[in-house]
Amino acid sequence: MIAEELQKRPFARPLFLWITGILLQVCFPLQRLSVWLLLPVSAVLALSFCFSPKNAAPSYHSRWMWGVLFSCIMIFMSIQATAYAEQHLSDLREAGWLQRQAQAAQVRMAHKLDDLRLSDDEKAILATITISYRRMLSREIKQQFSTIGVSHILAVSGFHVGILYGFLSFLFSFFPKKNLFRWLRSILMLLSLWTFAFITGLCVATVRATLMSSIFVFGQIFHRPSERYNSLAVAAFILLAYNPFFLFDIGFQLSFIAVLFIFWLQPSLSRLAKVRNPLLAVPWDVLTITVAAQIGTTFLCCYYFERFSTVFLMSNLFLSLLATATIPLALIWMLLPDGIMSWLGILQWVIEQLMHCFVMFVERFSMVPGAVQSLPFDFVTLVCSYAALCFLLIYFRYRRTWMLNTSLCSVLMVICWHLYMRFTAFQ
């Protein structure tokens, strides 16, 4: 069962091995000892070179041996890459030339919002949700978004790239179906997506989502359907190969877990009700995506922020729909030359009204009594809760009794752990 799933997603295995090497180096520095991982690799390669018949094809029965050797190599490379990153942490924190250029472009784009008749808070929110420009964002606004469970809208990530991808797909859908125009459409899509990633300052979440979208576009070019879990694994592997310490970034963890659970749960949730009316289909999709992402990130949010929003369903529904309309229009406004912007009064009026509604909804939802509840998690509770959740979801798919028992055992471990912690607190 698990082997079949991994065969469909070949990048899941190297990603798992790479993460294993990162954790080993961080928890138990093994840079020097990891050289021993290369000894079995060298021995097997030497023996196979000396004793195997000439022009002999690799035997299928020896695939497990080659898998072990590949695992040793991947873990060794991961440990060495993490050790190198540890030695150059200050260099990784400093922005490179490309990122400095991206941040400068981001500032220029944000200044174009000054022509809109919006308050400072409205401009700050608009700059944040479109190009991830957070310098004008106040702590009170962040608190309001956190209270109503929509902080992900402020972090430009897969949600925003998905909106842009859908808008570009609609925009280029009028191209003819011939091969030349299909290539032209794909090239324009890639250029637009990476331009968006550039003007957002090349933040990690945007780069991850853009990588996944690019893989999907390349699959369309070569008529090869891309497997979404495999695309997610490719994006995670590339980012962790570039900087292994992204693994411990809160945004990285929340972003990937949210997307993973959207891929996992959203199709099943959307099938709970057949919505044929196109006016209701979009809100239903937004609702199912919100629920799937919230299920995946709730435990992690409780671990890092020790709070849980009770109004996330309604707030996400309204604000996600408003953001879907606002983000493409605001990007068009910022990309237009200065001389043309004064002629587009209708576009300006639409953006302003959308932002007025957006801020109004944020303020109204944040004033709901009991909108946020305290729910602190420690690390043991976090791990056991995710184990219980994942085994329960797998049980609903495969109906194996041991999975349900494992899920219940994880819940029991959480209860026992909290009883133990309370007992020790009274001592």
Side-chain angles (χ1 to χ4, degrees), residues 382-398:
L382 175 71
V383 174
C384 293
S385 299
Y386 271 116
L389 175 63
C390 291
F391 278 107
L392 181 63
L393 293 175
I394 296 173
Y395 166 75
F396 284 132
R397 180 173 181 180
Y398 295 105

Side-chain angles (χ1 to χ4, degrees), residues 150-226:
V150 291
S151 296
H152 64 279
I153 295 180
L154 290 177
V156 176
S157 58
F159 171 73
H160 304 73
V161 175
I163 291 173
L164 180 62
Y165 184 89
F167 177 75
L168 292 173
S169 298
F170 171 76
L171 195 65
F172 298 139
S173 63
F174 301 100
F175 280 32
K177 303 299 181 181
K178 297 180 180 179
N179 283 338
L180 176 62
F181 290 97
R182 181 170 56 84
W183 275 83
L184 179 61
R185 175 182 178 274
S186 300
I187 292 172
L188 291 175
M189 289 275 287
L190 290 172
L191 288 175
S192 301
L193 289 171
W194 283 104
T195 300
F196 176 69
F198 184 77
I199 63 177
T200 58
L202 295 173
C203 61
V204 176
T206 311
V207 172
R208 185 265 309 160
T210 308
L211 278 172
M212 290 183 61
S213 301
S214 300
I215 293 169
F216 183 76
V217 172
F218 276 115
Q220 288 183 323
I221 292 176
F222 298 104
H223 297 288
R224 291 183 178 273
S226 56

Side-chain angles (χ1 to χ4, degrees), residues 60-107:
Y60 179 77
H61 298 289
S62 63
R63 67 190 186 280
W64 296 108
M65 180 187 66
W66 293 108
V68 170
L69 298 183
F70 173 77
S71 300
C72 292
I73 294 172
M74 286 297 299
I75 293 175
F76 168 78
M77 293 174 62
S78 177
I79 291 173
Q80 296 300 318
T82 307
Y84 178 83
E86 284 180 325
Q87 298 168 4
H88 297 81
L89 273 178
S90 58
D91 298 339
L92 290 173
R93 292 192 182 115
E94 295 179 1
W97 177 84
L98 183 61
Q99 193 165 14
R100 289 198 300 270
Q101 298 300 315
Q103 291 171 353
Q106 185 186 45
V107 172

Side-chain angles (χ1 to χ4, degrees), residues 399-413:
R399 300 292 178 178
R400 303 291 175 86
T401 306
W402 69 268
M403 296 177 179
L404 180 60
N405 293 335
T406 307
S407 178
L408 294 175
C409 287
S410 300
V411 175
L412 182 62
M413 288 178 63

